[in-house]
Amino acid sequence: MHPDELNALQRAAADDPGIAGFPGPDGLRVLGRRNRKPEGLRKNTGAEAYTDDLALPGMLHAKLLRSPHPHAQIVSIDTQHATRIVGVHAVITGEDLPTKYGIIPWTRDEQALAVDKVRYVGDAVACVAAVDEDTANAALEAIEVEYEVLPFYLEPEQALTAEAAAVPIHGPKREGRNGNVTKHVELEFGPVDDLMAAADVVVEGDYYFHGTTHAPIEPHCAIGHVDADGLLTVWSSTQVPHYLQRELARVLGLDVARVRVVQPAVGGAFGGKSEPFDLEFCVALLALRTGRPVKLLYTREELFYSHRGRHPMRMWYRVGASRDGKLKAVDARSLLDGGAYASFGLVTTYYSGQLLTAPYELESYRFDSTRVYTNKPPCGPKRGHGSVQPRFAFEISLDKLAAELGLDPIELRRRNFMGTGRTVNEFRVQSNGFLECLEAVERASGWKEKHRKLPYGRGVGVAGSCYISGTNYPIYPNDMPQAAVQVQVERSGRVSVLHGASEIGQGSDATMAAIAAEELGVPLGYVRVLSADTDIVPVDLGAYSSRETLMVGNACVSACRQVAERVRGSVGSALGIPPERVRLAGGWAFDAEEPTRDDRRLPIAAAFQIAEAEHGTLGAIGHYNTPKEGVHGEYRGGTIGASPAYSFTAHVAEVEVDPETGFVDVKTIWVAHDCGKALNPMLVEAQMEGSAYMGFAEAIFEHQVMKRGNPEGGLHDAPSLLDYRIPTSRDCPEFVSLIVESADPEGPYGAKEAGEGPLHPSLPAIANAIWDAVGVRMDALPFTPDRVWRALRDHSARSA
Amino acid sequence: MLRLHPYEYHRPRTVNEAIALLAEHAGDAMPIAGGTDLVPNMKHRLFTPGHLVSLRGIEEMRGIGEDEAGFTIGAATSLDHVATDEAIRNALPSLARACSLVSGPQLRRMGTLGGNVCLDTRCTYYNQTLFWRKALGYCLKKDGTACHVVKGGTRCVAAHSADAATALLPLDAELRIAGPEGERTTPIGGFFTSDGVWNRRMSPGELLVSIHVPRQRAGTRHSFQKLRARDSIDFPMLNLAVRVDFEADGVVAGVQMAASAMGSYPRKLGKLDEGVAGAPLTESVVEALAREAFRQCHPLTNIPVDAEWRRAMVPVLVRRAMVEIRA
């Protein structure tokens, strides 16, 4: 090794505050610190390349023709005039891509372009590739589609009627059923009716979640390209490259091995990019047809149509408890408004019940959930998939229960804490920091001085929740690992981490880099990360259900430790000490028992070179698969909602309600989250704040809703960021993030998820705070001023 | 991304050059100042002029002048400039306030006072993309024949949504308008009409050059109130500009109010002086005014927000304005 190279690495190690410092009490030097994201500077300086920033020579631009009707039969499509326009290279319709797809293999009900009918305003019907966007738009105008309009259903209750079943949105799977029902799930654990009857107090309520969308800043974008050998590459702003690769091959009739999916930097996803979309199939087919690269970028309006946001949900809850506040029985019934296609709906229907069973001990529990098709943009997974709505209903129920029993709502929650062990639906919980979360928000918010004690108009509310760190089973059944990571060590000391996780802003690249730096003893700046390119990196299933840190993290630890073991062995021989005494840290390989002795340490690059000389090129692949034994029940559906580890959250929200106008000003949200172990507290806090922000936004501002009436019925009310109101910085409360660590045995270094769980309590905590402030129960979202004003008016009419 | 249509962009240096360009391309030209409203409207294909006449390079249309008679504000002066000008903030606080409440900081630096006065009316069935409007079957204001706000209605009721224009009403502002026939001055009170399609008494070939705001007499107090969903960005759900003239002994000499974001023009409320003139501005006087304002205001569903709630906010805004005025 050239002495200059050696100095550079050692200097970098000395300059790196993470690595140069003494290890923390947990023995970690890189993890647990506020390290910068590897892509941070690129993003902040505008240098990052998102999909739309990519341009290939000869690239064409594609546009989608969309349905103006909420429900209609396609009688004919005439593309002749469009194809004759100068600059138009290809026009495709549903017949060109007839294979049905869908993220859940049992409910494939989508086609890239509608074949026989359209099911919502915005359903894609045809796609044009042209030399530029203006020519493509002109070609769309020239396509003639004849429709036969059908009756349409904007409410699930409407879609469930016999008349609607006669003209269903999708044909029934079995004769005699209403095709408008996507999925019905009914599960009961313990004697609910008996315990409810015996309960000292029963709280009943009707709750409503209104529907919201993800609104990422980056619209969906995809580029299709076919090279000289006929290999197809699709660059896409997806969060599931692996599933996309499989579905592209299936729909296009290609060998999976000849399809490559690359995910460039993604500007926000939140679940809205976690399944294949029309544009990805279209650019692929158009590239195959034209022999030219083809790009399609959604307009902002199209995001509101592709949607896959949170399901509107009507929920009926009965909660029974004993006099001392112990929960005896929970009886839940939910109606999910699915929109026009299944998407993840089968899972959503299960999640609407399965994910409610922690952190509280439920003696008995029953849920009955039905997902129904409607003629609206399809709903799917949004941050906190399927469980934000029931959590809203349940945590308000708990607040009412506390009020009825004269108990402090935090005390009520404490009394029902389940600890670790089995939930009523048999999920295995191995770590649970919920009590610490409750205590943290209670103390930080000054709860005891505030609850029921603030002047009229001001109030505090509490809520808790639980979420999964990845799903125990992949979306398509298989026994292979869920995640894998390949680590390569170069002679300079530079380490490459190749992994399949989708970096969507949450920090998976940063996390993998930090794990590699920690395990191999190099400075963070010596780790390169390459992710989400299906030709090059090992498989990962994608950024959904908060699985990346736990699953890809574990795979990364495994790969690094295989390399480290070889290095320690070689260094041990060289220094004449047993390998287990060799530590790799801070840019050095050294004797853990005599770390200061110069003759008992080697620069890490030199250590790698000794190991490479002995073992050959240094590299390893690690993988992770979920535990299958004893982590869930054996009943039908018992695997859905099962996770290797569960995270827990508690919020206290403080609000000020203007009783004259109905405006709710959320002042502060204290968020305590048990993430197991914060591998980077800055990123964990960012996830906690971002989650609480998103929940707050859904509670107070956002509403994905269609117009009613004729002729506007089925048109999106406000498909723009002017009228779909995501809060600005001026509208935000203070967020106080309080990290709780409970170290789960299944997580890397004990880590669990932090990206979705902290969203849940925002909505019910705000609702409970409004009650504390003005004595009104807001059981239906959103809490826009007109609705709060009406609730206050009705309340005073009742009391008068 | 939504695309703009092709157009030619002209950069005149004087008002006369601009008027000549508008005349030369009559029927196919529009003036553009900040473009904060026009550009999105063009992307929605609400306007597709072949010629845009930029007002940004016309010196005589920018800046704030002050003399004994009052203030003269160039129509192409940015809203941010008006909102932050010390003299305006002191002498015409309600105007500065209204300008500061338009949209967000970036758009206030581009958007102009003249553009705000001439702001196109807005409606949930109109401010949408071409795809959306086509799916609807268009509307009375643009490309269609039916009104979807007032079913069966034959007159467009798109909402006048300009904050600063509403604040200018009780300030007795005058508008200097230039056209091919020369210049004219018109009081802002007579400038707006109830036709939502084109609610200005000004032809497309004319230009609003400047806004004159007379010096307010001693004893006159103003307040501007805006109801909006977020604390930035949003157009008004309701606007109220209030003026109270006091006698030297503190009793009320007269009350004026203008409300907007309801129908197609900022509505000057009537009969507010009755039983008020000559009395001090007590709680009960304020309540009487709030009741009278409520009686006269009827928000429509041209904005997709509960119209009954918006109407109920009228007296609330009156009370809040009066708190400011009495302070």
Side-chain angles (χ1 to χ4, degrees):
Chain A
M1 172 179 275
H2 193 277
D4 284 350
E5 279 176 45
L6 186 141
N7 288 341
L9 192 151
Q10 262 58 49
R11 269 201 309 277
D15 288 346
D16 186 322
I19 208 150
F22 287 103
D26 47 15
L28 300 174
R29 292 163 186 263
V30 184
L31 296 166
R33 296 180 194 278
R34 296 170 180 272
N35 295 308
R36 213 164 64 186
K37 284 175 158 184
E39 77 280 17
L41 267 180
R42 285 205 302 280
K43 284 186 173 163
N44 283 295
T45 55
E48 188 64 280
Y50 298 83
T51 305
D52 188 42
D53 293 318
L54 308 179
L56 300 173
M59 190 169 76
L60 302 174
H61 294 268
K63 293 281 176 189
L64 287 158
L65 181 70
R66 294 183 175 275
S67 165
H69 303 295
H71 197 190
Q73 205 72 37
I74 298 172
V75 178
S76 66
I77 306 177
D78 185 349
T79 61
Q80 280 183 60
H81 299 289
T83 48
R84 285 195 208 117
I85 292 174
V86 175
V88 171
H89 283 246
V91 181
I92 54 173
T93 64
E95 287 174 3
D96 297 297
L97 284 164
T99 305
K100 286 193 174 177
Y101 63 87
I103 186 74
I104 306 293
W106 297 277
T107 58
R108 288 183 178 130
D109 62 357
E110 285 192 73
Q111 285 151 313
L113 300 167
V115 172
D116 51 357
K117 65 192 283 196
V118 289
R119 297 178 172 88
Y120 66 98
V121 174
D123 214 354
V125 174
C127 191
V128 172
V131 288
D132 55 33
E133 290 178 87
D134 291 335
T135 308
N137 279 328
L140 294 188
E141 292 289 313
I143 297 173
E144 285 163 27
V145 187
E146 195 188 328
Y147 294 101
E148 189 182 304
V149 170
L150 298 171
F152 59 91
Y153 323 114
L154 299 179
E155 295 294 345
E157 289 87 349
Q158 237 182 322
L160 287 172
T161 61
E163 288 135 299
V167 191
I169 298 168
H170 294 274
K173 282 211 187 85
R174 269 178 237 150
E175 195 78 26
R177 299 273 183 91
N178 182 346
N180 291 334
V181 176
T182 324
K183 182 73 191 170
H184 174 236
V185 177
E186 198 179 346
L187 285 171
E188 181 164 352
F189 308 95
V192 172
D193 290 330
D194 293 351
L195 287 169
M196 194 72 81
D200 295 321
V201 53
V202 175
V203 168
E204 291 191 47
D206 292 357
Y207 304 89
Y208 183 65
F209 181 87
H210 55 309
T212 57
T213 198
H214 317 79
I217 295 307
E218 181 207 21
H220 299 56
C221 184
I223 301 171
H225 171 63
V226 181
D227 73 9
D229 296 317
L231 296 173
L232 171 71
T233 301
V234 172
W235 289 263
S236 180
S237 56
T238 181
Q239 55 190 115
V240 286
H242 174 67
Y243 292 135
L244 176 58
Q245 179 199 20
R246 286 169 52 87
E247 290 298 274
L248 279 169
R250 214 174 53 76
V251 170
L252 295 162
L254 299 172
D255 178 356
V256 184
R258 296 179 68 77
V259 177
R260 176 186 183 188
V261 172
V262 185
Q263 177 224 316
V266 165
F270 311 111
K273 297 172 178 170
S274 54
E275 60 199 279
F277 287 89
D278 47 18
L279 79 165
E280 293 157 328
F281 300 103
C282 289
V283 296
L285 182 64
L286 288 166
L288 286 161
R289 288 272 171 95
T290 62
R292 307 249 305 241
V294 179
K295 177 193 276 184
L296 200 156
L297 169 69
Y298 275 172
T299 61
R300 176 57 58 183
E301 184 183 17
E302 286 179 294
L303 262 85
F304 291 95
Y305 301 148
S306 63
H307 188 45
R308 321 291 155 148
R310 206 181 303 292
H311 290 64
M313 219 183 275
R314 204 167 286 287
M315 299 162 285
W316 295 269
Y317 268 70
R318 283 199 305 151
V319 179
S322 61
R323 208 161 286 112
D324 60 359
K326 288 287 285 175
L327 294 169
K328 307 304 274 182
V330 177
D331 188 8
R333 200 151 54 82
S334 304
L335 185 59
L336 289 73
D337 179 352
Y341 293 98
S343 178
F344 278 84
L346 184 149
V347 176
T348 320
T349 314
Y350 272 106
Y351 277 10
S352 71
Q354 286 287 70
L355 299 189
L356 196 74
T357 55
Y360 313 113
E361 186 157 27
L362 310 181
E363 204 172 323
S364 68
Y365 174 47
R366 174 167 65 213
F367 72 91
D368 178 332
S369 296
T370 308
R371 185 186 190 268
V372 179
Y373 289 120
T374 52
N375 292 111
K376 297 190 286 192
C379 297
K382 178 176 166 181
R383 202 175 196 173
H385 181 193
S387 65
V388 169
Q389 306 94 318
R391 186 58 67 179
F392 171 72
F394 186 55
E395 293 288 330
I396 296 177
S397 302
L398 293 184
D399 213 56
K400 292 176 180 173
L401 197 60
E404 196 136 318
L405 292 168
L407 279 173
D408 178 301
I410 291 183
E411 174 58 22
L412 177 97
R413 285 168 170 84
R414 267 195 196 108
R415 287 186 189 181
N416 287 290
F417 177 60
M418 70 163 287
T420 55
R422 291 289 179 145
T423 64
V424 71
N425 56 345
E426 301 183 53
F427 294 149
R428 181 187 70 180
V429 177
Q430 297 195 101
S431 63
N432 189 342
F434 183 62
L435 275 189
E436 289 86 341
C437 291
L438 277 179
E439 200 191 321
V441 292
E442 183 181 49
R443 198 175 40 232
S445 67
W447 172 267
K448 285 181 180 148
E449 292 74 50
K450 288 177 178 170
H451 187 246
R452 308 313 289 143
K453 291 175 184 149
L454 293 170
Y456 182 78
R458 192 114 182 178
V460 289
V462 68
S465 72
C466 159
Y467 204 64
I468 53 176
S469 307
T471 59
N472 221 69
Y473 293 86
I475 282 172
Y476 66 95
N478 72 77
D479 295 325
M480 293 175 280
Q482 287 218 24
V485 170
Q486 181 179 358
V487 170
Q488 301 168 4
V489 175
E490 204 245 357
R491 293 169 187 183
S492 64
R494 194 260 295 144
V495 173
S496 293
V497 179
L498 281 63
H499 70 89
S502 288
E503 171 60 62
I504 53 173
Q506 86 282 40
S508 53
D509 281 353
T511 302
M512 299 318 135
I515 287 174
E518 180 73 51
E519 293 292 332
L520 296 170
V522 298
L524 254 182
Y526 277 67
V527 183
R528 304 281 185 277
V529 181
L530 179 68
S531 56
D533 179 333
T534 62
D535 258 14
I536 293 173
V537 303
V539 168
D540 176 60
L541 300 185
Y544 64 94
S545 76
S546 281
R547 51 185 296 290
E548 306 286 42
T549 294
L550 188 140
M551 299 199 191
V552 189
N554 273 329
C556 192
V557 170
S558 157
C560 291
R561 285 187 182 166
Q562 293 172 51
V563 173
E565 197 183 316
R566 276 174 253 160
V567 176
R568 277 201 299 271
S570 302
V571 170
S573 307
L575 298 181
I577 57 174
E580 53 274 17
R581 266 172 59 179
V582 177
R583 189 76 31 96
L584 311 180
W588 298 91
F590 56 89
D591 181 353
E593 290 185 7
E594 294 186 80
T596 51
R597 266 178 63 172
D598 277 344
D599 61 341
R600 288 285 172 84
R601 67 177 193 171
L602 284 170
I604 193 75
F608 290 157
Q609 289 172 14
I610 292 173
E612 186 177 338
E614 184 180 347
H615 297 283
T617 304
L618 293 176
I621 298 180
H623 67 264
Y624 174 78
N625 208 351
T626 49
K628 300 298 190 298
E629 293 301 313
V631 297
H632 53 74
E634 294 306 320
Y635 57 93
R636 183 180 166 85
T639 57
I640 305 184
S643 176
Y646 300 86
S647 75
F648 300 93
T649 313
H651 284 197
V652 165
E654 182 163 349
V655 304
E656 192 168 292
V657 181
D658 182 336
E660 267 191 308
T661 60
F663 276 98
V664 177
D665 184 4
V666 181
K667 295 294 188 187
T668 307
I669 301 179
W670 290 268
V671 186
H673 180 70
D674 167 21
C675 65
K677 163 77 188 169
L679 300 186
N680 182 332
M682 182 177 70
L683 296 185
V684 169
E685 286 169 6
Q687 289 298 312
M688 291 164 69
E689 286 180 19
S691 289
Y693 164 85
M694 198 167 237
F696 146 78
E698 295 182 69
I700 305 287
F701 290 97
E702 298 180 26
H703 194 182
Q704 163 107 350
V705 64
M706 306 304 126
K707 288 199 184 293
R708 304 289 191 267
N710 186 26
E712 63 267 49
L715 281 170
H716 197 291
D717 200 43
S720 75
L721 286 184
L722 176 62
D723 295 319
Y724 182 90
R725 298 188 177 105
I726 59 177
T728 72
S729 56
R730 289 187 61 87
D731 304 301
C732 285
E734 282 298 315
F735 296 105
V736 181
S737 295
L738 307 156
I739 292 174
V740 170
E741 296 180 317
S742 70
D744 195 280
E746 194 62 32
Y749 316 93
K752 308 189 283 191
E753 76 89 34
E756 302 189 70
L759 187 152
H760 294 70
S762 275
L763 301 90
I766 291 169
N768 293 338
I770 292 172
W771 177 78
D772 188 44
V774 291
V776 169
R777 284 291 176 194
M778 293 301 294
D779 292 346
L781 287 152
F783 311 144
T784 48
D786 52 320
R787 298 169 55 87
V788 175
W789 171 81
R790 279 183 186 280
L792 283 162
R793 195 184 57 172
D794 296 348
H795 181 71
S796 60
R798 274 199 307 276
S799 5
Chain B
M1 210 191 299
L2 293 173
R3 304 277 304 161
L4 285 168
H5 68 287
Y7 52 79
E8 197 175 327
Y9 191 79
H10 303 272
R11 294 182 177 81
R13 312 297 299 180
T14 66
V15 170
N16 287 342
E17 275 176 52
I19 300 284
L21 281 162
L22 290 172
E24 186 186 340
H25 305 289
D28 193 28
M30 288 181 79
I32 180 166
T36 53
D37 196 53
L38 182 58
V39 172
N41 284 354
M42 289 194 300
K43 286 190 162 187
H44 288 176
R45 297 296 186 265
L46 299 172
F47 302 100
T48 49
H51 298 267
L52 286 180
V53 179
S54 171
L55 308 180
R56 291 180 69 79
I58 303 176
E59 264 320 298
E60 58 191 304
M61 286 183 69
R62 298 164 82 100
I64 299 171
E66 187 183 359
D67 60 18
E68 265 160 39
F71 290 88
T72 300
I73 306 169
T77 307
S78 78
L79 289 160
D80 180 69
H81 186 166
V82 181
T84 56
D85 184 88
E86 266 317 298
I88 298 276
R89 285 163 66 104
N90 289 328
L92 308 169
S94 66
L95 177 63
R97 172 97 182 129
C99 290
S100 78
L101 293 176
V102 178
S103 192
Q106 294 91 337
L107 273 73
R108 281 197 297 277
R109 277 174 202 129
M110 288 296 288
T112 63
L113 183 61
N116 194 262
V117 170
C118 296
L119 186 79
D120 190 26
T121 56
R122 299 184 59 82
C123 180
T124 181
Y125 298 100
Y126 169 73
N127 295 97
Q128 302 281 1
T129 64
L130 180 62
F131 166 80
W132 196 102
R133 291 186 296 113
K134 196 175 169 185
L136 173 71
Y138 302 109
C139 78
L140 201 56
K141 183 163 160 69
K142 175 74 180 157
D143 302 327
T145 53
C147 179
H148 307 288
V149 176
V150 180
K151 302 281 179 189
T154 53
R155 204 165 175 77
C156 173
V157 292
H160 176 269
S161 306
D163 304 316
T166 308
L168 286 168
L169 267 163
L171 290 167
D172 296 331
E174 292 190 319
L175 309 177
R176 190 158 69 91
I177 294 168
E181 262 81 78
E183 279 193 10
R184 64 189 173 96
T185 299
T186 182
I188 194 167
F191 181 64
F192 295 104
T193 78
S194 63
D195 181 4
V197 176
W198 183 267
N199 70 343
R200 283 92 76 202
R201 288 201 171 87
M202 182 173 143
S203 80
E206 288 184 309
L207 266 188
L208 173 60
V209 176
S210 63
I211 296 104
H212 177 73
V213 187
R215 196 159 289 283
Q216 304 295 298
R217 47 167 247 170
T220 293
R221 302 291 302 272
H222 290 271
S223 173
F224 177 79
Q225 302 288 324
K226 175 174 178 174
L227 190 69
R228 60 178 171 178
R230 288 174 294 189
D231 202 21
S232 187
I233 308 286
D234 289 328
F235 281 100
M237 299 191 285
L238 185 71
N239 269 341
L240 188 77
V242 179
R243 163 180 173 175
V244 182
D245 295 314
F246 292 96
E247 302 288 4
D249 59 0
V251 300
V252 173
V255 176
Q256 290 183 38
M257 290 189 203
S260 65
M262 300 190 297
S264 293
Y265 63 103
R267 191 187 183 91
K268 208 158 178 181
L269 307 187
K271 294 189 232 163
L272 295 176
D273 290 348
E274 285 173 23
V276 170
L281 194 58
T282 59
E283 291 286 341
S284 64
V285 166
V286 171
E287 278 313 307
L289 287 166
R291 273 196 303 277
E292 184 55 29
F294 176 78
R295 203 184 59 75
Q296 293 183 40
C297 289
H298 302 278
L300 301 169
T301 53
N302 43 18
I303 297 171
V305 177
D306 189 334
E308 190 188 350
W309 171 72
R310 286 166 64 210
R311 188 174 182 213
M313 293 304 104
V314 173
V316 175
L317 296 196
V318 172
R319 280 184 218 115
R320 288 180 184 189
M322 291 307 180
V323 167
E324 262 182 42
I325 280 172
R326 290 196 295 185

